[in-house]
Amino acid sequence: MSNNIVILGAGVSGLTTTYLLSQDPSNNITVLAKHMPGDYDIEYASPWAGANYMPVGEPGSKHQAWEKATWPALKEVCEKYPEAGIHFQGMIQSLHSSSMSSEWLTAIPDTLIFNRKKDQDSATGQWFKALVQPNPWYKDVVPDFENLPESQLEPGIDNGQKFTSVCINTAVYLPWLVGQCVKNGAVFKRAVCKHITEAAYSHHSGKKADVVINCTGLSSKTLGGVLDDRMYPARGQIVVVRNDPGLMSSTSGTDDGDDEIFYTMTRAAGGGTIIGGCYQKNNWDPLPDPNLANRIMTRAIKICPQLVKEGEGIEGLSIIRHGVGLRPLREGGTRIEKDQVDGVNIVHNYGHGGFGYQASFGCAEHVVSLVKEVLQSKTRAKL
Ligand code: FAD
């Protein structure tokens, strides 16, 4: 017996959920979305992400469990599928394979995090609270974790850490996920739903879906049948450049404002370097602010002078584009739960803020378990 499933949304949440569910041949899946990989739009957060794995879930929370569960999955994709556009940043021990030279291993850039205690009450400091602890929970999850000795810290930095992480080229990874899902039989269709129940009647079989999975991100605020007023954006502005600083790094805050931050990461497979950023809550502005762009570039060169040639300022940056994305935040946290609207079974998977990639597999695994519960109760009802 096959299960007719509609996944509404083709961002990293919808695609990772489809990737896992499509591995079971009894699932007959349609992915419906207004935006698909290749599109750049302010209503579509996923292409704008860096993206990297820098865990921010509070110890003991579901968020932490999702991030913890995601690391092994991202590591596996990185190791098994180089064409997925993910690469390691740091000295990963498990990479020792005969096909890779030791010179290549030592050339992998480090992941470095720096904390200033004075940021602890700022918007960015709160966001990074769990990340910048001297002994964070994820020290036993990611490889090669080390607290940096005080002698290696610049003035004003209270603590720092180094570990192996990944950086994802979202322009390669999202299409790769689509390819895997199509290979497993999922059907992709463009559509704009005004109400969540419309999705149930858009399955490619022409039959009503047994379950709809809602992965609409920030649009869950306005989608009929959901109308979640706990959703709000945290605006992120970035500059993508051709320069390569040779490391992935982030600080807990800057002196440029409570909601401004420094980070840099170089995407796999020629994706350029992302320089950020900010975390502007309830700011919906889709256009890059030129003054903020100037601050992002100026402080990036100050903190990370190797971005440009010696003596150069921002004129030394070769800009690919400026970008703005809205992180889909939710008061009370990400919503992963079963629901029923007008006789349609729904499983929600939205509200992933600034951690949609680094929690993607953990969240999708949770969704798969809820979908199984829905399908089992459907089977019981038929008996
Ligand atoms: P989205 O990507 O927004 O996708 C929503 C989907 O639903 C789209 O396909 C859309 O078209 C569809 N949709 C919505 N409404 C409808 C409708 N009514 N009908 C049909 N389709 C609809 N995360 C990390 O883990 N690491 C990072 O380093 C990182 N960096 C980031 C940097 C920036 C600047 C930003 C903005 C975000 C960053 N994030 C990062 C967060 C991450 O990008 C998001 O959490 C994630 O992309 C959310 O994905 P999503 O699939 O839930 O939503």
Side-chain angles (χ1 to χ4, degrees), residues 46-52 167-170 238 263 265-267 274 357:
S46 294
W48 299 110
N52 63 17
C167 181
I168 303 169
N169 181 347
T170 62
I238 51 158
Y263 60 83
M265 64 188 92
T266 301
R267 286 173 162 182
I274 309 284
Y357 285 83

Side-chain angles (χ1 to χ4, degrees), residues 8-14 32-36 43-52 191-194 215-219 223 236-238 263 265 325-328 349-350 352-359:
L8 186 60
V12 68
S13 308
L32 279 190
K34 183 174 179 186
H35 305 97
M36 294 278 182
E43 291 178 12
Y44 188 27
S46 294
W48 299 110
N52 63 17
V192 182
C193 295
K194 286 206 165 74
C215 303
T216 56
L218 196 52
S219 299
L223 178 63
Q237 181 169 325
I238 51 158
Y263 60 83
M265 64 188 92
L326 302 179
R327 301 176 181 93
N349 183 16
Y350 66 86
H352 303 85
F355 50 88
Y357 285 83
Q358 65 200 31

Side-chain angles (χ1 to χ4, degrees), residues 308-327:
V308 290
K309 292 198 193 102
E310 207 178 332
E312 282 182 338
I314 63 174
E315 75 287 356
L317 292 172
S318 172
I319 297 171
I320 301 170
R321 68 178 162 272
H322 294 271
V324 174
L326 302 179
R327 301 176 181 93

Side-chain angles (χ1 to χ4, degrees), residues 153-370:
L153 303 177
E154 294 288 327
I157 301 293
D158 295 294
N159 63 279
Q161 51 248 28
K162 181 172 155 177
F163 54 95
T164 291
S165 183
V166 286
C167 181
I168 303 169
N169 181 347
T170 62
V172 175
Y173 181 59
L174 296 172
W176 179 82
L177 281 173
V178 172
Q180 299 302 302
C181 299
V182 169
K183 200 163 74 179
N184 292 340
V187 174
F188 283 73
K189 292 199 326 189
R190 293 272 184 170
V192 182
C193 295
K194 286 206 165 74
H195 198 278
I196 184 85
T197 53
E198 285 170 33
Y201 301 97
S202 305
H203 192 270
H204 65 271
S205 64
K207 295 184 188 140
K208 183 184 170 193
D210 298 310
V211 56
V212 171
I213 303 167
N214 173 25
C215 303
T216 56
L218 196 52
S219 299
S220 286
K221 191 174 182 67
T222 49
L223 178 63
V226 183
L227 298 177
D228 188 338
D229 59 13
R230 292 186 183 188
M231 292 298 296
Y232 65 100
R235 181 178 179 277
Q237 181 169 325
I238 51 158
V239 187
V240 189
V241 297
R242 296 184 182 83
N243 310 54
D244 184 347
L247 87 174
M248 182 159 87
S249 182
S250 190
T251 61
S252 57
T254 69
D255 292 335
D256 287 340
D258 195 57
D259 52 11
E260 293 191 24
I261 195 161
F262 158 76
Y263 60 83
T264 185
M265 64 188 92
T266 301
R267 286 173 162 182
T273 296
I274 309 284
I275 315 174
C278 60
Y279 195 74
Q280 298 171 321
K281 291 186 181 178
N282 288 307
N283 184 336
W284 294 83
D285 189 352
L287 299 176
D289 166 355
N291 293 319
L292 174 54
N294 237 333
R295 291 197 295 279
I296 288 174
M297 293 187 283
T298 306
R299 66 180 173 240
I301 292 170
K302 200 166 156 210
I303 299 171
C304 193
Q306 64 270 41
L307 260 168
V308 290
K309 292 198 193 102
E310 207 178 332
E312 282 182 338
I314 63 174
E315 75 287 356
L317 292 172
S318 172
I319 297 171
I320 301 170
R321 68 178 162 272
H322 294 271
V324 174
L326 302 179
R327 301 176 181 93
L329 272 171
R330 184 169 183 270
E331 258 170 60
T334 307
R335 185 175 184 200
I336 300 188
E337 65 181 8
K338 291 186 284 184
D339 193 7
Q340 264 219 340
V341 179
D342 300 338
V344 171
N345 291 316
I346 291 161
V347 175
H348 296 287
N349 183 16
Y350 66 86
H352 303 85
F355 50 88
Y357 285 83
Q358 65 200 31
S360 56
F361 279 90
C363 291
E365 283 160 9
H366 190 167
V367 170
V368 170
S369 68
L370 296 182

